[in-house]
Amino acid sequence: MSQLLEVSGVSVTFDGFRAINNLSFQIGAAELRAVIGPNGAGKTTFMDIVTGKTRPDEGRVLWGEKSVSLLGLNEAQIAREGVGRKFQRPTVFEDQTVADNLMVALKKDRAPIAVLLFKPSKADHQRVEELAAEIGLSDQLQTQAGILSHGQKQWLEIGMLLAQEPRLLLVDEPAAGMTGPERDHTTELLKEAAKTRAVVVVEHDMDFVRKLDCKVTVLHEGSVLAEGSLDHVTSNQEVIDVYLGR
């Protein structure tokens, strides 16, 4: 399997605190991966580095078949390369409908004049309907995003990211605050998305990670402590000591 993202020997220090310490991480082009670890393990900083928000002091971050260095690109360029990120709090346009939110997110020419003159084509409307079906909001297309449940807003935001056709989706704690059925739907959504792209889920909730049923990377003090199936990593004595035993 070809690697889509390869992080190697990456370190970053903030005010003398080493947030990421010689981190190496690879993910394939169509793979689901969970990243777990105690608070302060470097999970958010790892995502910040991949998306260009934080520059590491050393190391390499290579992307795609041509091994492009993401470290030479800014946040907007990295997003255009196909890296999408979903934060914990959903950011949707509350006073717009679900359909409008998805339409705005479609991968289009973003030049200011093009945005002003944008008239959705039949194909655009069709794509919005497909996305709504994929995230489970087909019957909510004309609903204002502001009145959706917390879980539905999270799905809408995932849909908005999928609309941009990312090759890598970074998702931060998607299960937080969701009901049981919402969590189950989120699991299916992420598994489905990972059939055609790389999906990295940073999560604290072990039950949710178990349902994802994927390879798990455990971070501790800014580097990889263990990697493998959930059963494999949770039976690792070091992981138990630093993370699970608390």
Side-chain angles (χ1 to χ4, degrees), residues 36-51:
I36 65 173
N39 285 334
K43 303 183 297 291
T44 302
T45 308
F46 158 70
M47 289 198 284
D48 287 347
I49 288 169
V50 174
T51 54

Side-chain angles (χ1 to χ4, degrees), residues 8 24 35 42 46 55 92 152 167 170 176 203 214 231 243:
S8 54
S24 294
V35 175
F46 158 70
R55 290 265 174 248
V92 298
Q152 289 171 323
R167 300 189 61 199
L170 300 167
E203 189 48 83
C214 63
D231 287 334
Y243 185 37

Side-chain angles (χ1 to χ4, degrees), residues 55-67:
R55 290 265 174 248
D57 305 323
E58 57 192 325
R60 296 184 315 179
V61 181
L62 301 178
W63 170 257
E65 293 71 24
K66 296 182 180 152
S67 294

Side-chain angles (χ1 to χ4, degrees), residues 3-60:
Q3 299 299 348
L4 177 65
L5 176 72
E6 185 171 353
V7 175
S8 54
V10 165
S11 297
V12 64
T13 302
F14 301 119
D15 301 328
F17 170 69
R18 207 152 227 225
I20 296 289
N21 184 12
N22 194 22
L23 173 70
S24 294
F25 176 95
Q26 289 92 23
I27 188 163
E31 184 187 346
L32 181 58
R33 179 79 60 87
V35 175
I36 65 173
N39 285 334
K43 303 183 297 291
T44 302
T45 308
F46 158 70
M47 289 198 284
D48 287 347
I49 288 169
V50 174
T51 54
K53 196 174 172 192
T54 295
R55 290 265 174 248
D57 305 323
E58 57 192 325
R60 296 184 315 179

